[in-house]
Amino acid sequence: MKRVGQLFGEIVEYENLYAAYKEAIKGKRYKPEILRFTQNLEENLIILQNELMHGMYQVSPYRQFFVTEPKRRLIMALPFRDRVVQWSIYQTLLPIYEKSFIYDSYACRKGKGAHRAVGRLQHWIRQDFKGGGYCLKLDIAKYFYRVDHQILLSIIERKIKDKRLLGLIHSIISSESDLFGVELGDHQYEKGRVQGIGMPIGNLLSQLCANIYLNELDQFAKHTLKTKHYMRYMDDVLVLHADKTVLRGCCSRSTVS
């Protein structure tokens, strides 16, 4: 696999940071925090640029809160300046990784989404399962809170060789100011946070990293298990087949692997 280098310079270019700012303000431009940043836009972007170029950028502390719909989840939000940095990284990395994602991965991708996933599922059922079939549904427990940082970074390093960019990504994923991981079975977050695992829900970069991480599962399902009717929406997976024993075999082979 060919690794890509010399991306850090592109990310910290003023034009790229400005484009990131334009993306970050969409639908939010009148929030007080964003208005303050915009008031001295050029100065704020130059400060960010200098911090990144000289290795002085540090991820700000997160604002934490819970949402209860559709289920109780811990959300962690960064100040606006950090979101600009993440947009700058995101818009540079996405075209590189988009090429490697399977067609039937539907979360956080342009032109995909839940409605497209439902349409694809209905198409499969009408075209290929008129006589009936079976569905294997998988859900990864507390996925965002259990992603292993070292495994994620090792996957990213297979494609990215720019050491400065890798260091920046590492500082965001393994933020020293906050812990993101939780133990399995900890439904109310009462056992405390776990170091070395977890990504904050609400981060733009978390969305991309989540797809990069589970693309390993997608590739295994398509190329090793040879599943034809496989789709994923973030940490929810569906596999369709006319024979339920084949679906059971998918589970057993995945466990062994």
Side-chain angles (χ1 to χ4, degrees):
M1 179 188 296
K2 186 178 180 180
R3 299 171 72 210
V4 183
Q6 299 182 337
L7 295 172
F8 185 81
E10 179 181 339
I11 287 168
V12 301
E13 285 179 359
Y14 182 88
E15 292 77 10
N16 203 44
L17 289 171
Y18 179 74
Y21 157 80
K22 296 292 285 186
E23 290 292 338
I25 66 172
K26 286 182 177 178
K28 305 171 184 176
R29 66 174 64 239
Y30 298 114
K31 289 190 173 183
E33 179 190 19
I34 296 176
L35 288 173
R36 288 192 298 271
F37 191 93
T38 303
Q39 199 168 24
N40 298 296
L41 178 59
E42 184 175 355
E43 179 183 351
N44 285 326
L45 290 180
I46 290 174
I47 290 171
L48 263 183
Q49 183 185 44
N50 286 330
E51 287 181 7
L52 289 164
M53 289 175 63
H54 298 293
M56 298 171 62
Y57 170 76
Q58 292 184 330
V59 181
S60 305
Y62 285 79
R63 179 171 62 89
Q64 304 181 25
F65 57 95
F66 287 94
V67 297
T68 56
E69 294 295 334
K71 58 185 178 181
R72 189 170 190 264
R73 295 185 302 169
L74 174 64
I75 305 296
M76 305 181 78
L78 281 170
F80 181 71
R81 73 191 308 269
D82 297 274
R83 298 202 295 274
V84 172
V85 172
Q86 292 206 16
W87 263 108
S88 189
I89 299 170
Y90 178 85
Q91 60 193 7
T92 301
L93 290 184
L94 181 61
I96 297 170
Y97 280 98
E98 184 67 30
K99 300 172 186 176
S100 66
F101 294 155
I102 66 168
Y103 180 86
D104 290 306
S105 169
Y106 287 93
C108 306
R109 296 177 67 196
K110 188 175 181 179
K112 300 293 183 175
H115 291 294
R116 286 291 181 91
V118 171
R120 179 74 158 165
L121 180 61
Q122 290 174 338
H123 172 76
W124 285 348
I125 292 171
R126 286 194 296 265
Q127 296 296 316
D128 300 324
F129 294 93
K130 294 178 181 178
Y134 300 89
C135 176
L136 171 64
K137 183 180 184 301
L138 304 173
D139 177 84
I140 301 174
K142 293 196 179 301
Y143 171 55
F144 274 87
Y145 307 117
R146 298 293 302 173
V147 169
D148 186 290
H149 295 170
Q150 290 304 314
I151 293 176
L152 172 60
L153 290 166
S154 69
I155 294 170
I156 293 173
E157 286 173 7
R158 292 182 205 160
K159 194 173 286 288
I160 305 299
K161 64 180 179 181
D162 189 316
K163 291 185 177 180
R164 295 187 73 185
L165 174 55
L166 290 171
L168 178 58
I169 294 172
H170 181 273
S171 71
I172 294 172
I173 292 172
S174 305
S175 174
E176 294 181 0
S177 61
D178 297 276
L179 297 180
F180 310 126
V182 297
E183 295 183 13
L184 283 177
D186 185 358
H187 300 294
Q188 299 299 323
Y189 310 94
E190 71 271 5
K191 297 180 182 178
R193 308 287 173 78
V194 181
Q195 195 169 20
I197 61 172
M199 299 187 300
I201 295 178
N203 259 10
L204 177 67
L205 203 57
S206 292
Q207 298 174 10
L208 177 59
C209 287
N211 271 334
I212 292 172
Y213 198 83
L214 281 185
N215 185 53
E216 301 294 301
L217 173 64
D218 299 340
Q219 299 299 331
F220 175 77
K222 298 298 291 183
H223 299 295
T224 302
L225 299 183
K226 307 293 184 183
T227 55
K228 180 181 179 181
H229 299 97
Y230 169 99
M231 67 166 57
R232 179 175 61 80
Y233 186 90
M234 199 47 73
D235 60 337
D236 292 302
V237 174
L238 290 179
V239 189
L240 275 62
H241 203 279
D243 187 348
K244 70 171 69 174
T245 59
V246 172
L247 297 179
R248 289 198 185 107
C250 287
C251 289
S252 61
R253 289 187 68 187
S254 298
T255 303
V256 171
S257 299

